[in-house]
C-alpha cells in the first residue's frame, strides 16, 4: 500500500528537483527524504530517480506518480477534514424520535437550535409512541428518543439505555366551559363519577392511568369516546361530550377549562432514552437543547395561578 506521506514527499522532490530542497520545504533532512523515496521505490517495485553523486533526476514514472497522486491526496485531505468535523460534531447526522405532543410543543425549538449550532449536520426526526421508537434506540437506528411514562403506569426501561428525565407534566382535568364544576379551583374526581369520559385508546398508558385514578376515587369511568389525538379529545370536551384528563403538553388552546385534581398531583414524565455507548458528538448538543426547552415549558406550568381554573381561548 502506498504511504501518503511518501507520496507528498515525492511531489516536492519532483517539483524542486532536489532531495535537499524538498526536505527544506517539508521540514525533513535530505537523508530522511532519500530514505522515504527508497521505501516508496520498494513499495512500487521500480526506481523513481536517476541518482548520481550530486543529483537525483526524476524518472517519467516519478513525474507520472506525483501528478496522479495529487487527486488522491486531495481526496484524503478532504476525508480527514470531514472526519475531524464529524468528530467535533460540525458535520454528521443525528436521528431523533419523539411522541406527538412533544413534537408539537418542544421539538421544533430543539431542532432549530441544533441546526443553528451545527448547520452542516443532517438532523432527522421521526414520531411514535414509546414502544414504537424503543427498538430504534436499542438497535442504533435512532440516536435518542423522547418518550413518556405515567406515574400511575410505571415501566422499566432496558438496563443498557441511559434514561434522563426532562420534565414532569402535571395531569389536569379538562371540562367544558358550561360544566357545573368549570369554575372550581380544583375538582375531586368523585364528583365526576357519573360523567362521560374521553381518553386515549384502551391499550395506552393514558387510558390505564385514568382507570387507576378513578379506581382510587372509588368508581369506574364511563368512557364514551377514545382517540390518541389530543386535539380530538380537546374538541370533544369543548363540544360538551365529556370530560378528560390531559397531560401538560396537551393542555388546550381553545375554550376548554382545565383544573387541578384534588388531593394529589399525578404526573406524566417525559424522558430521553439513548444508548450508553453512543459516541455521536451531536447527541450531547441535542440532549442539552431538550433539557433547556423542556425546562422552559415546565416553568410555564409552575407559573400557573393556583386559585382558579385556567381558561385557554
Amino acid at each position: 500500500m502506498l504511504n501518503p506521506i511518501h507520496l507528498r514527499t515525492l511531489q516536492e522532490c519532483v517539483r524542486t528537483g532536489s532531495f535537499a530542497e524538498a526536505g527544506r520545504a517539508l521540514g525533513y533532512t535530505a537523508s530522511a527524504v532519500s530514505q522515504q523515496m527508497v521505501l516508496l521505490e520498494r513499495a512500487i517495485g521500480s526506481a523513481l530517480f536517476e541518482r548520481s553523486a550530486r543529483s537525483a533526476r526524476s524518472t517519467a514514472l516519478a513525474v507520472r506518480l506525483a501528478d496522479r497522486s495529487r487527486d488522491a491526496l486531495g481526496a484524503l485531505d478532504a476525508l480527514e477534514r470531514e472526519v475531524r468535523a464529524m468528530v467535533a460534531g460540525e458535520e454528521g447526522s443525528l436521528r431523533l424520535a419523539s411522541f406527538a405532543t412533544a413534537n408539537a410543543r418542544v421539538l421544533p425549538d430543539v431542532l432549530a437550535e441544533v441546526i443553528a449550532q451545527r448547520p452542516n449536520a443532517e438532523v432527522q426526526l421521526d414520531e411514535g409512541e414509546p414502544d414504537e421508537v424503543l427498538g430504534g434506540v436499542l438497535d442504533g437506528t435512532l440516536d435518542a428518543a423522547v418518550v413518556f411514562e405515567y406515574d400511575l403506569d410505571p415501566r422499566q426501561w432496558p438496563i443498557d439505555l441511559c434514561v434522563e428525565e426532562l420534565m414532569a407534566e402535571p395531569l389536569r382535568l379538562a371540562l367544558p366551559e358550561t360544566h357545573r364544576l368549570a369554575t372550581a379551583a380544583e375538582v375531586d374526581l368523585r364528583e365526576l363519577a357519573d360523567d362521560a369520559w374521553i381518553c386515549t385508546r384502551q391499550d395506552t398508558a393514558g387510558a390505564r392511568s385514568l382507570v387507576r385514578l378513578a379506581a382510587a376515587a372509588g368508581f369506574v369511568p364511563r368512557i364514551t369516546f377514545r382517540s390518541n389525538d389530543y386535539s380530538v379529545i380537546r374538541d370533544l370536551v369543548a363540544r360538551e361530550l365529556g370530560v378528560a384528563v390531559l397531560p401538560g403538553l396537551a393542555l388546550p388552546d381553545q375554550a376548554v377549562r382545565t383544573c387541578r385534581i384534588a388531593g394529589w398531583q399525578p404526573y406524566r414524565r417525559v424522558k430521553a432514552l439513548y444508548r450508553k455507548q453512543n459516541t455521536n458528538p451531536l447527541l450531547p448538543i441535542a440532549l442539552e437543547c431538550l433539557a433547556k426547552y423542556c425546562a422552559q415549558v415546565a416553568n410555564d406550568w409552575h407559573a400557573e395561578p393556583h386559585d382558579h381554573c385556567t381558561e385557554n381561548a
Side-chain angles (χ1 to χ4, degrees):
M1 183 178 292
L2 299 179
N3 187 320
I5 295 176
H6 297 168
L7 291 174
R8 288 192 176 94
T9 302
L10 171 66
Q11 290 177 357
E12 283 299 311
C13 291
V14 171
R15 184 182 70 83
T16 62
S18 164
F19 286 178
E21 289 297 325
R24 277 191 283 272
L26 296 171
Y28 300 137
T29 64
S31 176
V33 171
S34 177
Q35 185 177 8
Q36 286 188 35
M37 294 304 94
V38 169
L39 293 173
L40 183 56
E41 288 172 329
R42 289 177 184 172
I44 66 173
S46 179
L48 293 170
F49 299 93
E50 297 174 3
R51 292 173 174 82
S52 68
R54 297 184 178 182
S55 67
R57 184 188 300 273
S58 301
T59 65
L61 177 59
V63 174
R64 179 67 169 166
L65 181 58
D67 182 60
R68 290 295 300 275
S69 66
R70 295 186 194 283
D71 288 342
L73 292 177
L76 182 60
D77 287 340
L79 177 60
E80 289 178 349
R81 289 193 298 272
E82 183 177 342
V83 170
R84 291 192 193 99
M86 292 174 66
V87 170
E90 296 171 2
E91 295 183 0
S93 63
L94 177 71
R95 299 152 300 179
L96 303 174
S98 182
F99 56 97
T101 47
N103 276 352
R105 293 285 302 277
V106 179
L107 269 296
D109 288 328
V110 171
L111 298 178
E113 180 157 336
V114 172
I115 292 172
Q117 291 189 35
R118 296 294 187 270
N120 295 321
E122 178 185 2
V123 182
Q124 301 174 353
L125 176 66
D126 203 350
E127 183 172 296
E129 297 293 300
D131 287 329
E132 295 172 332
V133 301
L134 179 58
V137 180
L138 289 170
D139 66 19
T141 304
L142 296 171
D143 289 300
V146 180
V147 299
F148 59 79
E149 175 184 349
Y150 284 81
D151 286 348
L152 287 164
D153 190 49
R155 59 181 300 166
Q156 294 292 322
W157 304 103
I159 60 173
D160 51 346
L161 293 183
C162 291
V163 181
E164 292 188 10
E165 183 165 319
L166 299 170
M167 63 177 162
E169 302 174 74
L171 299 186
R172 295 285 190 257
L173 285 167
L175 308 174
E177 282 191 313
T178 57
H179 194 277
R180 66 189 184 282
L181 300 174
T183 59
E186 60 182 24
V187 173
D188 189 319
L189 283 180
R190 290 175 294 185
E191 297 184 75
L192 299 173
D194 295 327
D195 281 66
W197 286 84
I198 305 164
C199 75
T200 52
R201 290 198 315 256
Q202 190 168 3
D203 59 346
T204 62
R208 291 190 292 270
S209 293
L210 172 59
V211 169
R212 290 166 185 169
L213 267 174
F219 70 95
V220 176
R222 179 170 57 89
I223 299 172
T224 54
F225 300 103
R226 295 183 185 271
S227 173
N228 273 18
D229 186 336
Y230 279 112
S231 65
V232 173
I233 293 178
R234 293 193 300 264
D235 287 343
L236 293 173
V237 172
R239 291 176 181 272
E240 304 178 11
L241 297 176
V243 298
V245 171
L246 300 179
L249 288 175
L251 290 180
D253 53 3
Q254 54 185 308
V256 171
R257 293 277 182 165
T258 56
C259 306
R260 297 190 310 278
I261 299 171
W264 66 292
Q265 177 57 69
Y267 289 95
R268 183 176 78 165
R269 301 184 185 274
V270 178
K271 302 183 177 185
L273 306 181
Y274 58 94
R275 288 175 294 116
K276 296 176 181 179
Q277 63 270 35
N278 190 329
T279 58
N280 187 339
L282 294 169
L283 179 57
I285 298 173
L287 293 173
E288 182 179 348
C289 292
L290 279 167
K292 171 184 174 181
Y293 288 105
C294 283
Q296 289 183 7
V297 172
N299 285 338
D300 292 340
W301 298 325
H302 296 322
E304 285 182 0
H306 292 280
D307 56 348
H308 61 81
C309 297
T310 303
E311 181 180 4
N312 300 281

